[in-house]
Amino acid sequence: MPKIKKVLIANRGEIALRIIRSAKEMGIKTVAVFSEADRKSPHVFAADEAVLIGPPPSAKSYLLGNKIIKLCKQLKVDAIHPGYGFLSENAAFADNVEKAGLIFIGPSSEAIRVMGNKLAAKKAVGAYDIPMVPGTDEAITDPEYAKKLGLEIGYPILIKASAGGGGKGMRVVYNENELEENMNLAISEATSSFGDGSVFIEKYIESNKHIEVQILGDQHGKTLYLFERECSIQRRHQKVIEEAPSMVISEDLRKEIGEAAVRVAQSCNYYGAGTVEFIYENGSFYFLEMNTRLQVEHPVTELITGIDLVKEQILIAEGKPLQLNQEDVKMNGHAFEVRVYAEDPENNFLPDIGTLTSYMRPQGYGIRVDDGFEQGMTIPIYYDPMIAKLITYGATRDEARKRMIRAIDEYTITGIKTTLPFCKFVFEHEAFINGSFDTKFVEKFFDHNSLETEDETQEKIAALMAIIYYKEDVNSTNQPPTTKKANSNWKKRVSK
Ligand code: ADP
């Protein structure tokens, strides 16, 4: 059985650091790669060795699979961990890694290939008794045929790109008149984003929750489920807040959905860590897709199960059998994760790039921050604008929730707008507290005015204080203060 002695992390930022930490604890040497934009990144300093691989654009650096493989040979690396994004779901890369005699810390290239394509995935799980959203399981090109299907399935319907990911290439159609135009748009969007214009149709489930199951499979046929995560708070079909467990999943349903996820994994002889995504509505769940990699939100599962998923991935890649049985996997307490994006929630979540002029992490019991930046660093425009993941753990959901609010208040980030104020809004919202929220939370409850209450209160305090200082000034000097002085006083006192 091969023992991994030196691993190269083909990634950047928080996930590269996350992997380096587990590797260190296992006595494995680490090699980081970085682009010119990431010279000062913490992952570069955390690794035992670090190599510059190219200019900032990922196509010229983090996506250069062959260059990275060559580097492994030169540095006597025996395994590559791809993290998430970049090369992690590239089946050809996984193949090339193995052809070069290296270990790919992930599933087989075949599993990546099947699950990387939503239509191929639907086909693969066909014989495994997995609940599916009503819809087609083949690519649709003819608008007339699509109209016929639309009538059968019933509107609204969702046009989806087979090769889709990250919420791209999806279009909701509410009636037949909108179908043809949306289909053409979806096909051209899918072609330009993924180089594959195949689209298919699903029933659009209006009020849905996103529930996913973490699985771990070894190379000897054992597959376990590590319970669910709920990731319903999304913007642009992309997750911002995740939690484990979900409030709406009962013990019986947990077993049912967990076992369904294991069957999905078995349908492609899956090994490694993976996530099976489902859409949930009124007690029923339907298969969406499987992500064949470590997921951004994996820490919430780690906190409730006490299992280090990166360590497990490495042990599985070495060929070790899983030590646990399903009944040994226990769940304790509750965990939340918020993704701290460099985005302006008051301006439609548009990216807000710039420099972290101040950056102070929250601390204390039950708080974990996975990040890849330090104060003074600039968020590069070339990559995903995620600054950090803020994760809290509590004995109960309410404790973890209140801890999250405390942590958000403590987190100081200036110079860049972030999703933190939006996240605080969510954690204080009644629908989030009582669990009656779905993936439409943002559309239903949030607009750019939602965050103004605090500002308005501050403005009112500022105005009141200004009057007090003005009166004090007038009393003490009998002279009205200059506007400039009054302004600077407001600012200083209110920002405290
Ligand atoms: P991607 O691979 O682009 O992330 P997914 O299939 O995982 O796409 O879906 C992403 C999100 O889109 C889901 O979390 C859900 O909110 C929404 N979604 C997907 N399929 C449906 C559907 N049939 N009905 C309603 N919403 C859906």
Side-chain angles (χ1 to χ4, degrees):
M1 217 175 276
K3 169 89 186 80
I4 296 173
K5 295 190 196 75
K6 195 171 181 183
V7 65
L8 179 144
I9 297 96
N11 216 301
R12 62 182 293 279
E14 70 87 16
I15 195 62
L17 257 183
R18 161 76 194 86
I19 296 160
I20 290 168
R21 287 181 173 136
S22 284
K24 278 193 173 167
E25 290 172 21
M26 297 171 86
I28 299 172
K29 291 266 175 259
T30 53
V31 179
V33 289
F34 61 98
S35 75
E36 281 162 12
D38 284 337
R39 279 180 191 281
K40 292 184 187 147
S41 266
H43 81 273
V44 175
F45 300 99
D48 296 300
E49 289 168 79
V51 183
L52 174 71
I53 38 160
S58 32
K60 293 183 174 164
S61 50
Y62 296 106
L63 289 173
L64 293 178
N66 289 338
K67 187 167 182 180
I68 289 171
I69 291 172
K70 227 163 149 191
L71 194 64
C72 290
K73 291 286 195 194
Q74 283 163 10
L75 299 176
K76 302 206 167 9
V77 164
D78 38 40
I80 297 183
H81 196 308
Y84 55 72
F86 297 126
L87 296 163
S88 63
E89 286 169 291
N90 182 327
F93 175 68
D95 261 340
N96 290 340
V97 171
E98 301 213 325
K99 272 190 207 132
L102 302 164
I103 296 174
F104 179 74
I105 303 179
S108 69
S109 57
E110 192 44 34
I112 300 176
R113 208 162 269 130
V114 171
M115 291 299 164
N117 182 296
K118 293 187 207 291
L119 284 171
K122 280 186 182 226
K123 228 168 247 148
V125 305
Y128 285 80
D129 189 24
I130 307 295
M132 312 286 270
V133 187
T136 58
D137 51 10
E138 58 195 353
I140 309 281
T141 45
D142 176 13
E144 289 312 312
Y145 182 52
K147 280 181 191 163
K148 194 171 153 266
L149 289 168
L151 281 178
E152 270 170 41
I153 297 168
Y155 288 89
I157 56 172
L158 184 66
I159 306 176
K160 271 183 162 179
S162 183
K168 278 198 210 124
M170 268 190 259
R171 302 193 85 86
V172 186
V173 181
Y174 288 93
N175 59 60
E176 195 178 288
N177 301 337
E178 300 169 359
L179 183 59
E180 188 162 350
E181 189 193 342
N182 275 292
M183 209 174 119
N184 292 334
L185 284 170
I187 291 173
S188 70
E189 211 168 290
T191 311
S192 64
S193 299
F194 312 111
D196 173 358
S198 315
V199 299
F200 62 100
I201 293 174
E202 268 179 7
K203 169 100 192 129
Y204 181 65
I205 298 177
E206 296 234 39
S207 171
N208 70 77
K209 279 176 168 280
H210 176 112
I211 306 282
E212 58 184 37
V213 178
Q214 176 69 52
I215 66 104
L216 273 182
D218 65 19
Q219 298 192 42
H220 310 276
K222 189 196 272 185
T223 314
L224 306 173
Y225 62 88
L226 273 58
F227 314 117
E228 80 283 355
R229 296 184 283 259
E230 171 159 358
C231 319
S232 301
I233 307 291
Q234 307 178 350
R235 45 99 187 78
R236 292 191 285 273
H237 296 298
Q238 283 183 293
K239 305 158 187 169
V240 203
I241 296 175
E242 300 100 350
E243 65 179 301
S246 164
M247 276 178 96
V248 296
I249 303 292
S250 63
E251 273 309 312
D252 287 349
L253 200 58
R254 180 161 294 129
K255 187 167 185 295
E256 206 183 311
I257 198 169
E259 288 175 354
V262 166
R263 290 198 300 279
V264 170
Q266 284 165 342
S267 78
C268 62
N269 300 316
Y270 198 87
Y271 56 79
T275 295
V276 183
E277 296 191 335
F278 297 94
I279 197 165
Y280 168 98
E281 187 195 35
N282 293 333
S284 301
F285 60 88
Y286 310 96
F287 173 65
L288 272 184
E289 63 168 353
M290 179 169 191
N291 290 327
T292 55
R293 54 171 164 83
L294 191 66
Q295 203 97 332
V296 176
E297 58 273 23
H298 75 276
V300 291
T301 300
E302 296 187 319
L303 291 183
I304 63 158
T305 59
I307 295 173
D308 180 329
L309 288 170
V310 174
K311 277 188 190 162
E312 292 300 327
Q313 283 188 299
I314 293 174
L315 293 171
I316 291 167
E318 286 178 333
K320 304 231 165 63
L322 282 167
Q323 294 301 301
L324 296 171
N325 291 316
Q326 189 61 56
E327 57 277 14
D328 304 324
V329 186
K330 296 271 188 291
M331 191 175 86
N332 255 311
H334 202 100
F336 285 109
E337 174 182 282
V338 309
R339 300 190 190 189
V340 186
Y341 281 108
E343 286 179 359
D344 183 359
E346 285 182 76
N347 192 10
N348 217 7
F349 295 94
L350 283 179
D352 190 57
I353 38 151
T355 300
L356 292 166
T357 43
S358 58
Y359 184 73
M360 272 165 286
R361 299 167 183 92
Q363 292 183 339
Y365 182 69
I367 290 177
R368 166 173 165 182
V369 180
D370 281 18
D371 63 7
F373 289 96
E374 295 292 347
Q375 185 161 299
M377 286 178 69
T378 299
I379 312 296
I381 53 166
Y382 305 96
Y383 319 111
D384 182 80
M386 194 172 76
I387 302 170
K389 303 187 308 205
L390 169 59
I391 307 131
T392 60
Y393 175 80
T396 61
R397 185 177 192 266
D398 204 47
E399 187 181 50
R401 186 183 67 82
K402 287 179 177 145
R403 187 161 286 146
M404 182 58 85
I405 295 169
R406 193 266 289 171
I408 292 175
D409 284 342
E410 222 174 289
Y411 216 146
T412 306
I413 302 180
T414 61
I416 292 172
K417 295 257 169 59
T418 76
T419 39
L420 279 175
F422 163 73
C423 293
K424 184 174 175 188
F425 170 85
V426 177
F427 278 86
E428 287 176 335
H429 198 283
E430 195 46 42
F432 187 74
I433 295 173
N434 66 31
S436 67
F437 58 98
D438 59 26
T439 52
K440 294 260 179 48
F441 181 94
V442 171
E443 287 97 314
K444 279 189 198 154
F445 302 120
F446 185 77
D447 66 32
H448 63 281
N449 293 319
S450 310
L451 300 179
E452 269 177 22
T453 346
E454 206 172 307
D455 288 352
E456 273 170 16
T457 318
Q458 290 211 351
E459 269 168 30
K460 273 184 200 149
I461 296 169
L464 282 172
M465 286 170 84
I467 294 169
I468 294 166
Y469 297 136
Y470 177 78
K471 283 190 172 161
E472 274 175 9
D473 267 355
V474 172
N475 287 345
S476 62
T477 63
N478 247 350
Q479 292 269 324
T482 63
T483 323
K484 203 169 166 220
K485 192 177 166 211
N487 264 343
S488 66
N489 262 344
W490 297 1
K491 259 208 168 140
K492 224 195 290 164
R493 302 198 187 221
V494 173
S495 64
K496 262 193 169 178

